Amino acid sequence: PRGTGLGLWVVKRIAESVGGSVLLQNTEQGGARVTIELPRLSLADLEGRTVLVVEDEPALRRVLCRELESFGALTRQASGGDEALALLETGGVDLLVTDVNMPCGGGGDLVRRSRRDLPTVMISGVSGAETEYADLQRPGLAFLLKPFEPEDLGLALSYVQWEVGHATGRRRRE
């Protein structure tokens, strides 16, 4: 039986929501060719960007910073939300990585109190944290479940940075 085309419409909407496109062409043999183009995210999008890493566990904070620096990012560190807010007030932070659960000011409170246009990745060892913090949902905010690969963090940061630029019409500075 013939479809309604609703599935293709959904695919088109998803592609467009992330800055992509869908092209539909008839073929000579009958049928159709569908081409989906999506923006390419790259770890190079972190080159020269300053990332504030907020993690209460010093060893993990150092590992996160080392990995981000290997992608060309500059890093600043904080052990909790209050310290992070003080660093954010001084300016010069392009991206934020914060643990969700910390004894000295949790990541949720930090995100609520920081700039809404600050690209942010919240990391958690608890599955479903994004549901608990549903009130924080906005362009430029993503959740990443521990454990993760360094590339996952880099791509998540590239994505939230792109998403904020796309939502506000701003593009990455060169």
PDB file of all heavy atoms in Angstrom, residues 89-123:
ATOM      1  N   GLU A  89      31.763  35.293  35.983  1.00  0.00           N
ATOM      2  CA  GLU A  89      31.586  36.738  36.097  1.00  0.00           C
ATOM      3  C   GLU A  89      32.783  37.506  35.555  1.00  0.00           C
ATOM      4  O   GLU A  89      32.643  38.648  35.127  1.00  0.00           O
ATOM      5  CB  GLU A  89      31.322  37.129  37.552  1.00  0.00           C
ATOM      6  CG  GLU A  89      29.928  36.750  38.017  1.00  0.00           C
ATOM      7  CD  GLU A  89      29.699  37.042  39.492  1.00  0.00           C
ATOM      8  OE1 GLU A  89      30.575  37.672  40.142  1.00  0.00           O
ATOM      9  OE2 GLU A  89      28.643  36.625  40.002  1.00  0.00           O
ATOM     10  N   THR A  90      33.964  36.884  35.564  1.00  0.00           N
ATOM     11  CA  THR A  90      35.149  37.560  35.040  1.00  0.00           C
ATOM     12  C   THR A  90      35.157  37.583  33.514  1.00  0.00           C
ATOM     13  O   THR A  90      35.929  38.318  32.920  1.00  0.00           O
ATOM     14  CB  THR A  90      36.453  36.889  35.543  1.00  0.00           C
ATOM     15  OG1 THR A  90      36.542  35.562  35.006  1.00  0.00           O
ATOM     16  CG2 THR A  90      36.505  36.854  37.051  1.00  0.00           C
ATOM     17  N   GLY A  91      34.295  36.779  32.885  1.00  0.00           N
ATOM     18  CA  GLY A  91      34.194  36.752  31.433  1.00  0.00           C
ATOM     19  C   GLY A  91      35.223  35.853  30.792  1.00  0.00           C
ATOM     20  O   GLY A  91      36.054  35.234  31.461  1.00  0.00           O
ATOM     21  N   GLY A  92      35.169  35.785  29.470  1.00  0.00           N
ATOM     22  CA  GLY A  92      36.143  35.018  28.715  1.00  0.00           C
ATOM     23  C   GLY A  92      35.882  33.533  28.623  1.00  0.00           C
ATOM     24  O   GLY A  92      36.722  32.797  28.125  1.00  0.00           O
ATOM     25  N   VAL A  93      34.729  33.067  29.101  1.00  0.00           N
ATOM     26  CA  VAL A  93      34.393  31.647  29.010  1.00  0.00           C
ATOM     27  C   VAL A  93      33.428  31.461  27.840  1.00  0.00           C
ATOM     28  O   VAL A  93      32.386  32.110  27.777  1.00  0.00           O
ATOM     29  CB  VAL A  93      33.766  31.127  30.324  1.00  0.00           C
ATOM     30  CG1 VAL A  93      33.278  29.694  30.160  1.00  0.00           C
ATOM     31  CG2 VAL A  93      34.767  31.227  31.458  1.00  0.00           C
ATOM     32  N   ASP A  94      33.798  30.580  26.909  1.00  0.00           N
ATOM     33  CA  ASP A  94      32.968  30.324  25.729  1.00  0.00           C
ATOM     34  C   ASP A  94      32.023  29.152  25.914  1.00  0.00           C
ATOM     35  O   ASP A  94      30.951  29.110  25.293  1.00  0.00           O
ATOM     36  CB  ASP A  94      33.863  30.031  24.512  1.00  0.00           C
ATOM     37  CG  ASP A  94      34.795  31.184  24.194  1.00  0.00           C
ATOM     38  OD1 ASP A  94      34.301  32.322  24.049  1.00  0.00           O
ATOM     39  OD2 ASP A  94      36.018  30.951  24.113  1.00  0.00           O
ATOM     40  N   LEU A  95      32.441  28.156  26.709  1.00  0.00           N
ATOM     41  CA  LEU A  95      31.679  26.919  26.872  1.00  0.00           C
ATOM     42  C   LEU A  95      31.786  26.448  28.313  1.00  0.00           C
ATOM     43  O   LEU A  95      32.782  26.716  28.985  1.00  0.00           O
ATOM     44  CB  LEU A  95      32.226  25.827  25.948  1.00  0.00           C
ATOM     45  CG  LEU A  95      32.253  26.163  24.463  1.00  0.00           C
ATOM     46  CD1 LEU A  95      33.453  25.532  23.796  1.00  0.00           C
ATOM     47  CD2 LEU A  95      30.992  25.688  23.801  1.00  0.00           C
ATOM     48  N   LEU A  96      30.772  25.702  28.750  1.00  0.00           N
ATOM     49  CA  LEU A  96      30.746  25.201  30.121  1.00  0.00           C
ATOM     50  C   LEU A  96      30.522  23.699  30.120  1.00  0.00           C
ATOM     51  O   LEU A  96      29.630  23.200  29.426  1.00  0.00           O
ATOM     52  CB  LEU A  96      29.607  25.888  30.897  1.00  0.00           C
ATOM     53  CG  LEU A  96      29.305  25.393  32.310  1.00  0.00           C
ATOM     54  CD1 LEU A  96      30.483  25.658  33.242  1.00  0.00           C
ATOM     55  CD2 LEU A  96      28.036  26.069  32.835  1.00  0.00           C
ATOM     56  N   VAL A  97      31.336  22.991  30.890  1.00  0.00           N
ATOM     57  CA  VAL A  97      31.134  21.564  31.163  1.00  0.00           C
ATOM     58  C   VAL A  97      30.989  21.456  32.664  1.00  0.00           C
ATOM     59  O   VAL A  97      31.873  21.884  33.403  1.00  0.00           O
ATOM     60  CB  VAL A  97      32.332  20.708  30.697  1.00  0.00           C
ATOM     61  CG1 VAL A  97      32.149  19.261  31.128  1.00  0.00           C
ATOM     62  CG2 VAL A  97      32.515  20.798  29.196  1.00  0.00           C
ATOM     63  N   THR A  98      29.864  20.910  33.123  1.00  0.00           N
ATOM     64  CA  THR A  98      29.661  20.804  34.557  1.00  0.00           C
ATOM     65  C   THR A  98      29.079  19.459  34.945  1.00  0.00           C
ATOM     66  O   THR A  98      28.229  18.915  34.243  1.00  0.00           O
ATOM     67  CB  THR A  98      28.758  21.938  35.087  1.00  0.00           C
ATOM     68  OG1 THR A  98      28.633  21.809  36.512  1.00  0.00           O
ATOM     69  CG2 THR A  98      27.379  21.931  34.451  1.00  0.00           C
ATOM     70  N   ASP A  99      29.570  18.943  36.048  1.00  0.00           N
ATOM     71  CA  ASP A  99      28.988  17.756  36.637  1.00  0.00           C
ATOM     72  C   ASP A  99      27.608  18.152  37.160  1.00  0.00           C
ATOM     73  O   ASP A  99      27.393  19.289  37.575  1.00  0.00           O
ATOM     74  CB  ASP A  99      29.882  17.259  37.775  1.00  0.00           C
ATOM     75  CG  ASP A  99      29.500  15.870  38.273  1.00  0.00           C
ATOM     76  OD1 ASP A  99      28.587  15.251  37.697  1.00  0.00           O
ATOM     77  OD2 ASP A  99      30.117  15.413  39.239  1.00  0.00           O
ATOM     78  N   VAL A 100      26.679  17.224  37.146  1.00  0.00           N
ATOM     79  CA  VAL A 100      25.331  17.506  37.631  1.00  0.00           C
ATOM     80  C   VAL A 100      25.317  17.541  39.157  1.00  0.00           C
ATOM     81  O   VAL A 100      24.794  18.471  39.757  1.00  0.00           O
ATOM     82  CB  VAL A 100      24.329  16.462  37.089  1.00  0.00           C
ATOM     83  CG1 VAL A 100      22.984  16.592  37.774  1.00  0.00           C
ATOM     84  CG2 VAL A 100      24.171  16.613  35.584  1.00  0.00           C
ATOM     85  N   ASN A 101      25.894  16.526  39.788  1.00  0.00           N
ATOM     86  CA  ASN A 101      25.834  16.406  41.249  1.00  0.00           C
ATOM     87  C   ASN A 101      27.187  16.715  41.871  1.00  0.00           C
ATOM     88  O   ASN A 101      28.149  15.989  41.665  1.00  0.00           O
ATOM     89  CB  ASN A 101      25.408  14.986  41.651  1.00  0.00           C
ATOM     90  CG  ASN A 101      24.007  14.683  41.192  1.00  0.00           C
ATOM     91  OD1 ASN A 101      23.106  15.481  41.400  1.00  0.00           O
ATOM     92  ND2 ASN A 101      23.824  13.546  40.550  1.00  0.00           N
ATOM     93  N   MET A 102      27.215  17.816  42.628  1.00  0.00           N
ATOM     94  CA  MET A 102      28.432  18.199  43.349  1.00  0.00           C
ATOM     95  C   MET A 102      28.025  18.706  44.721  1.00  0.00           C
ATOM     96  O   MET A 102      26.983  19.360  44.858  1.00  0.00           O
ATOM     97  CB  MET A 102      29.178  19.302  42.591  1.00  0.00           C
ATOM     98  CG  MET A 102      29.730  18.879  41.255  1.00  0.00           C
ATOM     99  SD  MET A 102      30.545  20.249  40.405  1.00  0.00           S
ATOM    100  CE  MET A 102      29.150  21.247  39.920  1.00  0.00           C
ATOM    101  N   PRO A 103      28.849  18.436  45.735  1.00  0.00           N
ATOM    102  CA  PRO A 103      28.487  18.888  47.081  1.00  0.00           C
ATOM    103  C   PRO A 103      28.506  20.411  47.260  1.00  0.00           C
ATOM    104  O   PRO A 103      27.736  20.957  48.004  1.00  0.00           O
ATOM    105  CB  PRO A 103      29.528  18.219  47.981  1.00  0.00           C
ATOM    106  CG  PRO A 103      30.624  17.783  47.096  1.00  0.00           C
ATOM    107  CD  PRO A 103      30.060  17.636  45.720  1.00  0.00           C
ATOM    108  N   CYS A 104      29.396  21.108  46.531  1.00  0.00           N
ATOM    109  CA  CYS A 104      29.474  22.573  46.721  1.00  0.00           C
ATOM    110  C   CYS A 104      28.801  23.290  45.560  1.00  0.00           C
ATOM    111  O   CYS A 104      29.447  23.858  44.720  1.00  0.00           O
ATOM    112  CB  CYS A 104      30.914  23.044  46.815  1.00  0.00           C
ATOM    113  SG  CYS A 104      32.179  21.817  46.983  1.00  0.00           S
ATOM    114  N   GLY A 105      27.503  23.243  45.492  1.00  0.00           N
ATOM    115  CA  GLY A 105      26.765  23.899  44.411  1.00  0.00           C
ATOM    116  C   GLY A 105      26.675  22.995  43.214  1.00  0.00           C
ATOM    117  O   GLY A 105      27.644  22.817  42.492  1.00  0.00           O
ATOM    118  N   GLY A 106      25.518  22.389  42.994  1.00  0.00           N
ATOM    119  CA  GLY A 106      25.328  21.444  41.900  1.00  0.00           C
ATOM    120  C   GLY A 106      25.270  22.100  40.537  1.00  0.00           C
ATOM    121  O   GLY A 106      25.064  23.306  40.405  1.00  0.00           O
ATOM    122  N   GLY A 107      25.438  21.277  39.507  1.00  0.00           N
ATOM    123  CA  GLY A 107      25.433  21.760  38.136  1.00  0.00           C
ATOM    124  C   GLY A 107      24.116  22.386  37.718  1.00  0.00           C
ATOM    125  O   GLY A 107      24.096  23.337  36.948  1.00  0.00           O
ATOM    126  N   GLY A 108      23.006  21.851  38.234  1.00  0.00           N
ATOM    127  CA  GLY A 108      21.697  22.417  37.885  1.00  0.00           C
ATOM    128  C   GLY A 108      21.574  23.852  38.352  1.00  0.00           C
ATOM    129  O   GLY A 108      21.133  24.732  37.601  1.00  0.00           O
ATOM    130  N   ASP A 109      21.966  24.120  39.587  1.00  0.00           N
ATOM    131  CA  ASP A 109      21.926  25.485  40.107  1.00  0.00           C
ATOM    132  C   ASP A 109      22.868  26.393  39.330  1.00  0.00           C
ATOM    133  O   ASP A 109      22.536  27.547  39.044  1.00  0.00           O
ATOM    134  CB  ASP A 109      22.297  25.504  41.592  1.00  0.00           C
ATOM    135  CG  ASP A 109      21.224  24.851  42.452  1.00  0.00           C
ATOM    136  OD1 ASP A 109      20.050  24.815  42.030  1.00  0.00           O
ATOM    137  OD2 ASP A 109      21.572  24.367  43.545  1.00  0.00           O
ATOM    138  N   LEU A 110      24.027  25.866  38.990  1.00  0.00           N
ATOM    139  CA  LEU A 110      24.996  26.648  38.221  1.00  0.00           C
ATOM    140  C   LEU A 110      24.401  27.052  36.873  1.00  0.00           C
ATOM    141  O   LEU A 110      24.481  28.216  36.473  1.00  0.00           O
ATOM    142  CB  LEU A 110      26.284  25.838  38.009  1.00  0.00           C
ATOM    143  CG  LEU A 110      27.321  26.440  37.061  1.00  0.00           C
ATOM    144  CD1 LEU A 110      27.784  27.804  37.548  1.00  0.00           C
ATOM    145  CD2 LEU A 110      28.491  25.477  36.908  1.00  0.00           C
ATOM    146  N   VAL A 111      23.782  26.112  36.181  1.00  0.00           N
ATOM    147  CA  VAL A 111      23.200  26.413  34.864  1.00  0.00           C
ATOM    148  C   VAL A 111      22.061  27.415  35.006  1.00  0.00           C
ATOM    149  O   VAL A 111      21.922  28.324  34.189  1.00  0.00           O
ATOM    150  CB  VAL A 111      22.750  25.114  34.160  1.00  0.00           C
ATOM    151  CG1 VAL A 111      21.961  25.409  32.906  1.00  0.00           C
ATOM    152  CG2 VAL A 111      23.963  24.248  33.839  1.00  0.00           C
ATOM    153  N   ARG A 112      21.240  27.264  36.034  1.00  0.00           N
ATOM    154  CA  ARG A 112      20.141  28.219  36.248  1.00  0.00           C
ATOM    155  C   ARG A 112      20.661  29.637  36.472  1.00  0.00           C
ATOM    156  O   ARG A 112      20.009  30.606  36.084  1.00  0.00           O
ATOM    157  CB  ARG A 112      19.307  27.799  37.455  1.00  0.00           C
ATOM    158  CG  ARG A 112      18.381  26.659  37.186  1.00  0.00           C
ATOM    159  CD  ARG A 112      17.527  26.311  38.404  1.00  0.00           C
ATOM    160  NE  ARG A 112      16.855  25.054  38.190  1.00  0.00           N
ATOM    161  CZ  ARG A 112      17.318  23.873  38.582  1.00  0.00           C
ATOM    162  NH1 ARG A 112      18.460  23.797  39.259  1.00  0.00           N
ATOM    163  NH2 ARG A 112      16.660  22.767  38.317  1.00  0.00           N
ATOM    164  N   ARG A 113      21.824  29.764  37.087  1.00  0.00           N
ATOM    165  CA  ARG A 113      22.358  31.076  37.448  1.00  0.00           C
ATOM    166  C   ARG A 113      23.330  31.643  36.409  1.00  0.00           C
ATOM    167  O   ARG A 113      23.753  32.792  36.523  1.00  0.00           O
ATOM    168  CB  ARG A 113      23.036  30.988  38.815  1.00  0.00           C
ATOM    169  CG  ARG A 113      22.024  30.671  39.919  1.00  0.00           C
ATOM    170  CD  ARG A 113      22.669  30.322  41.230  1.00  0.00           C
ATOM    171  NE  ARG A 113      23.484  31.399  41.769  1.00  0.00           N
ATOM    172  CZ  ARG A 113      24.326  31.249  42.784  1.00  0.00           C
ATOM    173  NH1 ARG A 113      24.459  30.076  43.381  1.00  0.00           N
ATOM    174  NH2 ARG A 113      25.030  32.269  43.213  1.00  0.00           N
ATOM    175  N   SER A 114      23.695  30.851  35.409  1.00  0.00           N
ATOM    176  CA  SER A 114      24.644  31.330  34.397  1.00  0.00           C
ATOM    177  C   SER A 114      23.887  31.891  33.187  1.00  0.00           C
ATOM    178  O   SER A 114      22.673  31.794  33.101  1.00  0.00           O
ATOM    179  CB  SER A 114      25.601  30.211  33.980  1.00  0.00           C
ATOM    180  OG  SER A 114      24.899  29.165  33.362  1.00  0.00           O
ATOM    181  N   ARG A 115      24.636  32.462  32.269  1.00  0.00           N
ATOM    182  CA  ARG A 115      24.044  33.034  31.052  1.00  0.00           C
ATOM    183  C   ARG A 115      23.268  31.978  30.281  1.00  0.00           C
ATOM    184  O   ARG A 115      23.754  30.871  30.073  1.00  0.00           O
ATOM    185  CB  ARG A 115      25.150  33.557  30.125  1.00  0.00           C
ATOM    186  CG  ARG A 115      25.917  34.705  30.619  1.00  0.00           C
ATOM    187  CD  ARG A 115      26.882  35.268  29.554  1.00  0.00           C
ATOM    188  NE  ARG A 115      27.098  34.465  28.377  1.00  0.00           N
ATOM    189  CZ  ARG A 115      28.260  33.861  28.082  1.00  0.00           C
ATOM    190  NH1 ARG A 115      29.292  33.942  28.889  1.00  0.00           N
ATOM    191  NH2 ARG A 115      28.385  33.169  26.974  1.00  0.00           N
ATOM    192  N   ARG A 116      22.091  32.332  29.811  1.00  0.00           N
ATOM    193  CA  ARG A 116      21.267  31.378  29.058  1.00  0.00           C
ATOM    194  C   ARG A 116      21.866  31.064  27.693  1.00  0.00           C
ATOM    195  O   ARG A 116      21.548  30.041  27.109  1.00  0.00           O
ATOM    196  CB  ARG A 116      19.843  31.908  28.892  1.00  0.00           C
ATOM    197  CG  ARG A 116      19.069  31.869  30.190  1.00  0.00           C
ATOM    198  CD  ARG A 116      17.592  32.048  29.985  1.00  0.00           C
ATOM    199  NE  ARG A 116      16.947  31.176  29.026  1.00  0.00           N
ATOM    200  CZ  ARG A 116      16.590  29.909  29.247  1.00  0.00           C
ATOM    201  NH1 ARG A 116      16.837  29.350  30.401  1.00  0.00           N
ATOM    202  NH2 ARG A 116      15.990  29.211  28.301  1.00  0.00           N
ATOM    203  N   ASP A 117      22.726  31.936  27.178  1.00  0.00           N
ATOM    204  CA  ASP A 117      23.310  31.689  25.864  1.00  0.00           C
ATOM    205  C   ASP A 117      24.688  31.027  25.947  1.00  0.00           C
ATOM    206  O   ASP A 117      25.397  30.946  24.950  1.00  0.00           O
ATOM    207  CB  ASP A 117      23.394  32.991  25.061  1.00  0.00           C
ATOM    208  CG  ASP A 117      24.393  33.984  25.648  1.00  0.00           C
ATOM    209  OD1 ASP A 117      24.729  33.875  26.850  1.00  0.00           O
ATOM    210  OD2 ASP A 117      24.834  34.880  24.911  1.00  0.00           O
ATOM    211  N   LEU A 118      25.059  30.539  27.136  1.00  0.00           N
ATOM    212  CA  LEU A 118      26.351  29.873  27.302  1.00  0.00           C
ATOM    213  C   LEU A 118      26.214  28.406  26.914  1.00  0.00           C
ATOM    214  O   LEU A 118      25.491  27.659  27.567  1.00  0.00           O
ATOM    215  CB  LEU A 118      26.821  29.984  28.759  1.00  0.00           C
ATOM    216  CG  LEU A 118      28.166  29.348  29.089  1.00  0.00           C
ATOM    217  CD1 LEU A 118      29.298  30.034  28.311  1.00  0.00           C
ATOM    218  CD2 LEU A 118      28.428  29.411  30.587  1.00  0.00           C
ATOM    219  N   PRO A 119      26.871  27.969  25.840  1.00  0.00           N
ATOM    220  CA  PRO A 119      26.804  26.558  25.459  1.00  0.00           C
ATOM    221  C   PRO A 119      27.300  25.676  26.602  1.00  0.00           C
ATOM    222  O   PRO A 119      28.394  25.896  27.131  1.00  0.00           O
ATOM    223  CB  PRO A 119      27.726  26.469  24.237  1.00  0.00           C
ATOM    224  CG  PRO A 119      27.785  27.868  23.700  1.00  0.00           C
ATOM    225  CD  PRO A 119      27.705  28.749  24.917  1.00  0.00           C
ATOM    226  N   THR A 120      26.480  24.701  26.989  1.00  0.00           N
ATOM    227  CA  THR A 120      26.738  23.933  28.205  1.00  0.00           C
ATOM    228  C   THR A 120      26.511  22.448  27.993  1.00  0.00           C
ATOM    229  O   THR A 120      25.506  22.051  27.398  1.00  0.00           O
ATOM    230  CB  THR A 120      25.797  24.421  29.334  1.00  0.00           C
ATOM    231  OG1 THR A 120      26.034  25.817  29.554  1.00  0.00           O
ATOM    232  CG2 THR A 120      26.011  23.646  30.620  1.00  0.00           C
ATOM    233  N   VAL A 121      27.433  21.645  28.516  1.00  0.00           N
ATOM    234  CA  VAL A 121      27.243  20.196  28.566  1.00  0.00           C
ATOM    235  C   VAL A 121      27.257  19.803  30.039  1.00  0.00           C
ATOM    236  O   VAL A 121      28.215  20.083  30.761  1.00  0.00           O
ATOM    237  CB  VAL A 121      28.348  19.432  27.801  1.00  0.00           C
ATOM    238  CG1 VAL A 121      28.209  17.926  28.007  1.00  0.00           C
ATOM    239  CG2 VAL A 121      28.298  19.775  26.315  1.00  0.00           C
ATOM    240  N   MET A 122      26.164  19.181  30.475  1.00  0.00           N
ATOM    241  CA  MET A 122      26.062  18.676  31.841  1.00  0.00           C
ATOM    242  C   MET A 122      26.368  17.188  31.800  1.00  0.00           C
ATOM    243  O   MET A 122      25.800  16.453  30.994  1.00  0.00           O
ATOM    244  CB  MET A 122      24.665  18.927  32.404  1.00  0.00           C
ATOM    245  CG  MET A 122      24.348  20.413  32.542  1.00  0.00           C
ATOM    246  SD  MET A 122      22.711  20.725  33.234  1.00  0.00           S
ATOM    247  CE  MET A 122      22.983  20.263  34.951  1.00  0.00           C
ATOM    248  N   ILE A 123      27.287  16.759  32.670  1.00  0.00           N
ATOM    249  CA  ILE A 123      27.667  15.345  32.699  1.00  0.00           C
ATOM    250  C   ILE A 123      27.156  14.715  33.992  1.00  0.00           C
ATOM    251  O   ILE A 123      27.125  15.357  35.037  1.00  0.00           O
ATOM    252  CB  ILE A 123      29.182  15.152  32.531  1.00  0.00           C
ATOM    253  CG1 ILE A 123      29.976  15.939  33.578  1.00  0.00           C
ATOM    254  CG2 ILE A 123      29.619  15.547  31.125  1.00  0.00           C
ATOM    255  CD1 ILE A 123      31.476  15.727  33.507  1.00  0.00           C
TER     256      ILE A 123
END
